[in-house]
Amino acid sequence: MGTDPEVSRRSSTTGAREWPLWEVFVRSRRGLAHGHVGSLHAPDAQMALRNARDIYTRRQEGVSIWVVASAAITASSPEEKDAFFDPAGDKIYRHPTFYDIPEGVKHI
Amino acid sequence: MYGNDFTPPGSSETAAPATGQAGSRAFQALLDADGRIEPRDEMPDAYRKTLVRQIAQHAHSEIIGMQPEGNWITRAPSLRRKAILMAKVQDEAGHGLYLYTAAETLGADRADLLDALHTGRQKYSSIFNYPTLTWADIGAIGWLVDGAAITNQVPLCRCSYGPYARAMIRVCKEESFHQRQGFEILHTLSHGSEAQHAMAQDAVDRWWWPSLMMFGPKDTAATGGDPSSGHSAQSMAWGIKRFANDELRQRFVDMTVPQAEALGLDLPDPDLAWNEESGHYDFGEIDFTELFEVIKGNGPRNAERMEHRRRAHEDGAWAREAASAYAAKQQARRTSEVA
């Protein structure tokens, strides 16, 4: 656990030479969730939003944009992947296909 | 547009070692299953370095590629053509940005990459060192250069590195507009006056061979890679490169010859002929000495492109500083409001 190294490594360059990094999420149309589309550099959130519009929605790819400072994202670690996700692995009874239903029973 | 990832023979610019370190078993298992490597996965250093170099070179090519076309924005023959060309040049800037951020997921710093471009430590596609002499060149770039780029780039959408593959999916979607607008420009000129037809033919005559060179040097049969750089075979094994240079070049020629017929324009190659037996078009020998001269910096426009790029970066400094100053002021204002 911790700050995503992908993100922290990149946002460590927020010195005079480089603006901070922002992750961009776009809702492609109403009824769908925002999805991650990429990232960009910008001096502040407002500029990040405007740049995101120009970079990621030049062809009406979205109806709504979120920008999130990359440094603000906390992510699970790939090294812990097995330990982190294993608890779900042996609980196959959480899936409907685990259960035997007699022949001919409908709507279940 | 497209970044060529190959170096002249004997170049000091180091290619990745042909046999990289073994890497972790998880990395190899992912490659074997045709899975995707994501930024935080373990990966061999040579894989990371190869990707950073290739993606950066590709990104540089996108933004340098804005110059030969931007050259014609003020002289586009109609408002419609001007609006289209501006949209295309804006796309190239966007492609550069997708790619720089993909390179940054590997730990590269965009400012460092730009430095490497500005100081000549990293290259961009040699195709942009040719001049755009007439309006027809804008058509030929779209049809041939972007056409060759698409042929090269579609396989990159399945590249083993996730962020690069995702960037390439966006790029490829947008490139097909670029190719069609170029084809349309040439079609209009070719079916216009005699002078317009001649202008279209002249542009195709000048851009055909450089476009074929965009696929890189000839492959050697043994390695499936090109003999000059040595990293082609390794890139294949890593799933960064999917097809050999010659295979992609042939695919491009086979697609393009019938399109030239539809345009009513000739391709400047007396050896170009349909080969019934192979089911492909045969074409003449490519003069790669020219390609390597251009890569080394001896092309018609190398110095001009670099000078313009550096000047644009320096001239834009005040805008970047103003944006930073404004952001700092707003931040300070918010902080004092809270206090």
Side-chain angles (χ1 to χ4, degrees):
Chain A
M1 283 292 173
T3 305
D4 191 323
E6 171 193 351
V7 163
S8 62
R9 192 184 321 113
R10 295 198 278 161
S11 55
S12 68
T13 62
T14 53
R17 267 156 59 82
E18 195 66 280
W19 292 325
L21 195 69
W22 304 79
E23 300 299 324
V24 181
F25 299 81
V26 169
R27 182 199 294 289
S28 55
R29 57 186 161 85
R30 289 183 169 278
L32 296 180
H34 287 73
H36 183 245
V37 295
S39 52
L40 53 79
H41 290 278
D44 59 29
Q46 282 306 314
M47 284 298 287
L49 208 49
R50 284 175 177 275
N51 290 349
R53 178 201 59 187
D54 290 345
I55 297 169
Y56 293 107
T57 61
R58 287 196 302 283
R59 288 174 175 77
Q60 297 183 296
E61 289 95 337
V63 294
S64 164
I65 301 176
W66 292 345
V67 291
V68 181
S70 304
I73 292 178
T74 305
S76 65
S77 140
E79 288 83 56
E80 295 168 358
K81 180 173 76 82
D82 291 344
F84 196 65
F85 294 105
D86 263 359
D90 59 358
K91 295 176 182 62
I92 52 172
Y93 44 81
R94 284 178 169 164
H95 296 279
T97 47
F98 176 75
Y99 300 93
D100 290 329
I101 302 295
E103 227 18 67
V105 175
K106 288 176 181 168
H107 308 300
I108 184 165
Chain B
M1 289 299 186
Y2 170 60
N4 49 5
D5 187 41
F6 43 83
T7 50
S11 164
S12 61
E13 197 176 313
T14 48
T19 49
Q21 62 208 76
S24 70
R25 226 181 304 166
F27 173 79
Q28 195 53 51
L30 266 173
L31 286 189
D32 292 345
D34 200 22
R36 294 293 176 266
I37 312 296
E38 293 296 340
R40 302 179 60 206
D41 292 334
E42 262 185 62
M43 61 185 93
D45 267 356
Y47 176 83
R48 185 186 298 276
K49 280 186 188 143
T50 296
L51 275 170
V52 169
R53 192 197 59 232
Q54 178 172 334
I55 297 171
Q57 195 162 324
H58 193 161
H60 300 332
S61 303
E62 299 286 352
I63 62 169
I64 294 285
M66 296 166 74
Q67 291 185 38
E69 297 186 289
N71 184 32
W72 280 91
I73 288 178
T74 55
R75 292 172 289 166
S78 68
L79 186 57
R80 173 178 181 271
R81 297 286 185 202
K82 190 195 289 268
I84 291 170
L85 187 56
M86 287 200 304
K88 181 177 192 295
V89 173
Q90 190 189 11
D91 274 355
E92 309 298 0
H95 296 177
L97 284 166
Y98 306 154
L99 290 160
Y100 283 121
T101 52
E104 288 189 299
T105 65
L106 291 156
D109 178 339
R110 186 177 67 176
D112 290 342
L113 298 177
L114 283 174
D115 283 348
L117 170 65
H118 296 156
T119 56
R121 274 181 291 131
Q122 284 179 343
K123 299 269 194 289
Y124 54 88
S125 180
S126 58
I127 193 80
F128 304 120
N129 290 318
Y130 292 91
T132 41
L133 302 178
T134 70
W135 169 250
D137 287 32
I138 300 305
I141 287 183
W143 177 48
L144 294 174
V145 175
D146 290 331
I150 292 169
T151 310
N152 258 318
Q153 289 173 350
V154 166
L156 286 175
C157 298
R158 293 191 297 115
C159 163
S160 63
Y161 187 60
Y164 191 24
R166 292 192 285 275
M168 290 317 301
I169 290 170
R170 296 188 64 88
V171 169
C172 285
K173 271 187 193 165
E174 298 178 358
E175 285 291 347
S176 70
F177 137 57
H178 297 181
Q179 195 189 14
R180 280 180 174 227
Q181 66 87 37
F183 185 91
E184 193 203 58
I185 288 172
L186 287 180
H187 193 268
T188 305
L189 287 172
S190 177
H191 295 84
S193 70
E194 209 171 295
Q196 287 169 332
H197 180 90
M199 185 193 279
Q201 184 61 57
D202 169 65
V204 170
D205 288 348
R206 284 181 288 109
W207 288 94
W208 172 247
W209 291 106
S211 300
L212 292 189
M213 291 181 210
M214 288 175 65
F215 295 92
K218 279 176 91 76
D219 303 295
T220 53
T223 59
D226 71 69
S228 67
S229 64
H231 51 76
S232 214
Q234 179 63 75
S235 287
M236 287 269 204
W238 277 330
I240 296 173
K241 191 178 165 73
R242 297 284 185 182
F243 299 97
N245 296 349
D246 285 332
E247 193 177 351
L248 291 169
R249 184 165 21 238
Q250 185 68 57
R251 194 179 293 177
F252 173 69
V253 171
D254 290 346
M255 286 190 297
T256 307
V257 174
Q259 292 171 4
E261 284 163 14
L263 285 173
L265 296 169
D266 295 324
L267 296 171
D269 179 0
D271 297 325
L272 195 65
W274 177 249
N275 184 325
E276 196 71 51
E277 209 171 300
S278 67
H280 295 288
Y281 286 91
D282 292 334
F283 54 95
E285 276 299 312
I286 299 169
D287 178 12
F288 282 109
T289 53
E290 176 186 321
L291 173 70
F292 291 128
E293 278 308 303
V294 179
I295 293 177
K296 280 182 205 159
N298 303 325
R301 287 292 186 276
N302 293 54
E304 186 185 319
R305 299 286 183 248
M306 287 302 293
E307 192 204 320
H308 184 96
R309 174 62 219 150
R310 281 191 287 260
R311 191 174 59 236
H313 190 68
E314 284 157 21
D315 289 354
W318 71 270
R320 293 191 296 275
E321 283 159 18
S324 295
Y326 181 77
K329 190 174 82 177
Q330 295 297 313
Q331 180 66 37
R333 199 168 283 174
R334 270 194 301 277
T335 311
S336 68
E337 273 168 19
V338 172

